[in-house]
Amino acid sequence: MNKKIGYGIALAVLLSAPFFVYPVFLMKLLCFALFACAFNLLIGFTGLLSFGHAAFFGGAGYVAGWAIRDAGLPMELGILLGVLAAALIGLVMGALAIRRQGIYFTMITLALAQMLYFVFLQAKFTGGEDGLQGVPRGKLLGSLDLTSDLTLYYVVLAIAIIGFAVVVRAIHSPFGHVLKAVKENEPRAVSLGYDVDKYKLVAFVLSAALAGLAGATKTLVLGFETLTDVHWTMSGLVVLMTLVGGLGTLVGPIVGAIIIIALENKLGDFGNLLADWTTVDWFRSLGDSVTIVTGLIFIVCVLAFRKGIVGELSDRLQRVRKAKLS
């Protein structure tokens, strides 16, 4: 009941948010929140640390952008093609990687993702270092004009909610319970007769598809796709979002994405404000030092919030409830 009330309040805030905050910034937040939730499905509930999710996020963005701009396909088909491309990449990458565990799994995903990065760098349809520019927003179902930021915001919000619902449904299904068993004790899951590799592969492909949905939607929102989204640093960024928010929690990755993306976009403005208040010009350079600031936040979370912000808050609330009951 409390969760339903919380989701209702969050939905009300999201519906009214574009009237108070720049819609494009909010849409970017929603895309990265979905990306972090997709990644959390793999690491938080299956125990697989992928360092190659940028391949799905950026790869889907490139395919969707090409389909909409160059192939002239409708927006819906462009996003669908991006998701299918991400799922296919995930299937190939997962089939090669899930046979290994731990750091070996992580390094294989990183190596394969970097191979794709150089493919996108050399491919003609991606625009190389210039990126894929001028992707039109088009019309939804051929009638609803998406050139309006406000209209597109509600479409992106619907996509993000659908993606989040898929994650929630997967986690609370029998499939999700098997994934949790694999994470907690893989040999035990094998002894119970589960085909662990098959479950891990399905989880990998589902996570890749949802990451692709986020990447394709981001390309539609911003109107371009660049190599930044397929570089390994994007994989590191989503790891940071998930760890800061809270591994294995539903809301944690969303909170982490909001914190990190807000810092990237607003830290320079905050630094200028501090400089004006304190007359210390050094604060104006905060915008250029965003990686240092996010690194400090990561260190603080690792030392003080080992389960992430949401994870630690949940634990403390449970302790308070137990103390009251006792």
Side-chain angles (χ1 to χ4, degrees), residues 122-191:
Q122 299 295 331
K124 292 183 178 180
F125 80 95
T126 64
E129 294 182 353
D130 295 328
L132 190 68
Q133 306 288 336
V135 178
R137 292 180 175 180
K139 296 182 178 180
L140 179 64
L141 301 176
S143 58
L144 185 61
D145 190 5
L146 299 180
T147 54
S148 168
D149 288 342
L150 189 61
T151 303
L152 183 60
Y153 170 80
Y154 289 110
V155 173
V156 173
L157 177 59
I159 291 173
I161 291 174
I162 291 171
F164 182 72
V166 170
V167 172
V168 173
R169 179 65 188 127
I171 291 168
H172 291 102
S173 68
F175 169 74
H177 292 305
V178 175
L179 294 183
K180 293 175 186 176
V182 171
K183 178 187 175 184
E184 296 297 328
N185 193 331
E186 185 172 333
R188 174 68 173 165
V190 173
S191 68

Side-chain angles (χ1 to χ4, degrees), residues 240 243-244 294-309 312 316 319:
L240 179 61
L243 290 178
V244 168
T294 53
L296 289 174
I297 291 174
F298 176 68
I299 293 171
V300 170
C301 285
V302 168
L303 295 176
F305 303 95
R306 295 202 171 188
K307 295 182 179 180
I309 295 172
E312 288 292 337
R316 293 184 183 183
R319 290 172 193 171

